């Protein structure tokens, strides 16, 4: 017999079903509560609200577990490639050799973007933030593929949009960068794999041969894999929410990019590096910065610390920390910011304020160090996060659409004026 939970209010008891997932976490299904009692539930910031069933990503914030389709993130980061992980997220299983070849082949056939996109890029001021540009460019793609406007049109049409998104994002990201520094853009080269092609378009020059360092390719593969999905976070929930109105997929991904931009979410990787630079320039002891982060009036938080779900450690941060050591060693880079990061981490991890609130370094704490070592400018960091998160957003969108989920529409508890009569302007 399925379990039930009972809510008692005034003289009434309301019975609600309890549902259990495959990893045994349970939830009270409150969808019938309003019908039974007139009550709604209130959970500001959705801190304890499950918004969906999902078979894509499992995470246990207490134990620091992260799995995509059942595969531990540690194994995927070590053994897989970003495109294989993308396939896994999108289709539910690791691909056969044939399926993988077909998938990568179709991506490499769609890497070109419409030439008019360059005109959009020409119109932006050179110092405009790449996340704003990327969000609007992705939304603009819907204008070039009007058949994609109806997400219910056909599965083949949806698949084409998915391939186009995966294929074109690296080209658009590198073009945004090239335009920002006034250099000519480079076109994709099908002889390269996905990551190498991106690095080539980003760092290559028309004037010379491009040689990519395998250490850099490996680090990028890892970073993209680690960012590929993270269940119902702010940007993914945004993608699902916008998608639930049956808006075009391009618009949903554009909305996800906007949600990711903020410093409390993906924008934290840029904010971490800026914070480390400020600490270096501002001087003072590391402890004085920790104290500042504890002072709520200062408005300063330790960027890259804390997570809504991970309350012991972020497994991605562990992998990235090791990867950043590898990259810096192999590229022979001594970065004083890394020393500051290490000292900051050490000081915070033994400070009662951070211990009590279970604030640990998150994925963004070390990713910026690697991006910087590779040579990416700081304002591109969050864009790189978006590049990694893209397959996760699409997989979550597909799941939401195929499960025929209803439009997202939360309730509220109204706290404004009770009814009052209009007063004409001369009598106010
Ligand atoms: N520095 C200092 N204090 C912090 C920090 C921090 N980085 N993070 C949380 N706190 C404190 C809060 O002030 C609060 O204290 P209080 O209980 O005394 O009021 C308590 O810890 C809980 O913080 P909330 O903001 O309520 O926690 P929430 O789960 O809502 O937020 C978040 C999580 C947004 C990630 C937060 O920890 C934060 O702002 N961190 C810094 C930004 C960051 O690194 N974001 C990246 C997240 S990972 C990602 O999106 C990929």
């Amino acid at each position: 017999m399925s379990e039930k939970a009972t809510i008692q209010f005034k003289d009434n008891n309301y019975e609600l079903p309890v549902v259990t997932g495959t990893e045994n976490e349970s939830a009270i299904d409150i969808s019938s509560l309003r019908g039974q009692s007139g009550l709604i539930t209130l959970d500001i910031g959705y801190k304890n609200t499950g918004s969906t069933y999902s078979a894509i990503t499992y995470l246990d914030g207490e134990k620091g577990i992260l799995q995509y389709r059942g595969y531990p993130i540690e194994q995927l980061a070590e053994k897989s490639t970003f495109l294989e992980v993308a396939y896994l997220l999108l289709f539910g299983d690791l691909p056969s050799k044939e399926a993988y070849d077909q998938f990568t082949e179709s991506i490499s056939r769609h890497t070109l973007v419409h030439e008019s996109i360059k005109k959009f890029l020409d119109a932006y001021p050179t110092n405009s933030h790449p996340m704003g540009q990327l969000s609007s460019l992705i939304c603009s793609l819907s204008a070039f593929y009007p058949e994609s406007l109806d997400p219910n049109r056909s599965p083949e049409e949806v698949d084409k949009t998915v391939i186009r998104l995966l294929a074109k994002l690296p080209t658009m990201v590198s073009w945004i960068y090239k335009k920002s520094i006034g250099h000519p853009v480079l076109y994709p080269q099908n002889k390269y794999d996905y990551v190498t092609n991106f690095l080539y378009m980003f760092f290559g020059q028309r004037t010379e041969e491009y040689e990519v360092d395998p250490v850099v390719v490996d680090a990028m593969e890892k970073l993209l894999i680690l960012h590929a999905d993270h269940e119902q976070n702010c940007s993914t929930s945004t993608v699902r929410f916008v998608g639930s109105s049956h808006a075009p997929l391009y618009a949903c991904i554009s909305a996800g990019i906007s949600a990711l931009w903020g410093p409390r979410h993906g924008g934290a990787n840029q904010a971490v590096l800026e914070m480390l630079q400020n600490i270096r320039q501002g001087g003072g002891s590391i402890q004085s910065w920790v104290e500042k982060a504890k002072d709520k009036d200062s408005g300063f938080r330790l960027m890259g610390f804390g997570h809504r779900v991970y309350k012991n450690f972020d497994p991605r941060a562990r992998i990235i920390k090791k990867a950043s050591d590898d990259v810096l060693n192999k590229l022979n880079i001594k970065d004083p910011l890394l020393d500051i990061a290490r000292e900051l981490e050490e000081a915070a991890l033994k400070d009662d304020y951070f211990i009590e609130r279970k604030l640990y370094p998150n994925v963004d704490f070390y990713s910026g160090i690697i991006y910087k070592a590779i040579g990416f400018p700081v304002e591109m960091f969050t864009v790189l996060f978006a590049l990694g998160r893209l397959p996760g957003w699409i997989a979550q969108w597909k799941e939401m659409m195929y499960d025929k989920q209803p439009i997202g529409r939360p309730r509220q508890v109204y706290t404004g004026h009770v009814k009052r009569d209009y007063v004409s302007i001369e009598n106010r």
Side-chain angles (χ1 to χ4, degrees), residues 31-230:
S31 48
S32 67
L33 182 65
R34 186 174 162 85
Q36 288 190 59
S37 65
L39 292 167
I40 62 164
T41 54
L42 182 65
D43 179 20
I44 294 167
Y46 310 115
K47 290 198 174 196
N48 195 37
T49 293
S51 58
T52 185
Y53 290 100
S54 181
I56 301 171
T57 289
Y58 172 68
L59 79 82
D60 180 329
E62 305 302 324
K63 295 191 186 137
I65 294 173
L66 176 62
Q67 295 165 0
Y68 298 159
R69 304 280 190 188
Y71 294 100
I73 190 69
E74 292 79 5
Q75 290 181 25
L76 293 171
E78 170 87 31
K79 298 177 181 166
S80 191
T81 63
F82 176 61
L83 280 194
E84 190 180 54
V85 167
Y87 185 101
L88 172 70
L89 290 167
L90 289 166
F91 301 107
D93 266 314
L94 288 170
S96 64
K97 169 93 178 63
E98 197 190 353
Y100 184 65
D101 288 347
Q102 217 177 340
F103 182 61
T104 51
E105 161 86 11
S106 53
I107 289 175
S108 57
R109 282 181 182 280
H110 287 85
T111 47
L112 281 174
V113 297
H114 199 287
E115 285 292 297
S116 304
I117 290 289
K118 283 198 232 157
K119 295 192 189 132
F120 289 70
L121 286 166
D122 283 339
Y124 289 116
T126 47
N127 60 354
S128 59
H129 198 284
M131 283 298 272
Q133 295 187 46
L134 188 65
S135 176
S136 51
L137 288 182
I138 292 290
C139 209
S140 307
L141 279 183
S142 60
F144 296 92
Y145 306 104
E147 65 282 6
S148 71
L149 293 181
D150 176 3
N152 296 303
R153 198 164 139 140
S154 75
E156 293 73 35
E157 209 56 69
V158 169
D159 285 349
K160 217 183 266 175
T161 306
V162 170
I163 293 292
R164 281 189 179 125
L165 273 164
L166 288 168
K168 292 179 196 319
L169 203 71
T171 311
M172 286 161 96
V173 167
S174 52
W175 283 17
I176 288 172
Y177 172 61
K178 288 290 188 200
K179 285 280 174 183
S180 76
I181 55 169
H183 282 191
V185 301
L186 292 187
Y187 286 90
Q189 296 277 335
N190 283 357
K191 64 179 175 183
Y192 293 134
D193 63 60
Y194 191 80
V195 168
T196 308
N197 201 17
F198 169 61
L199 292 168
Y200 158 74
M201 288 188 286
F202 200 98
F203 292 114
Q205 302 284 351
R206 286 198 190 174
T207 45
E208 55 196 41
E209 274 296 304
Y210 176 69
E211 272 182 48
V212 63
D213 189 329
V215 175
V216 172
V217 175
D218 185 57
M220 272 311 287
E221 290 274 7
K222 278 197 175 53
L223 282 158
L224 295 175
I225 290 171
L226 292 175
H227 285 90
D229 194 47
H230 212 233

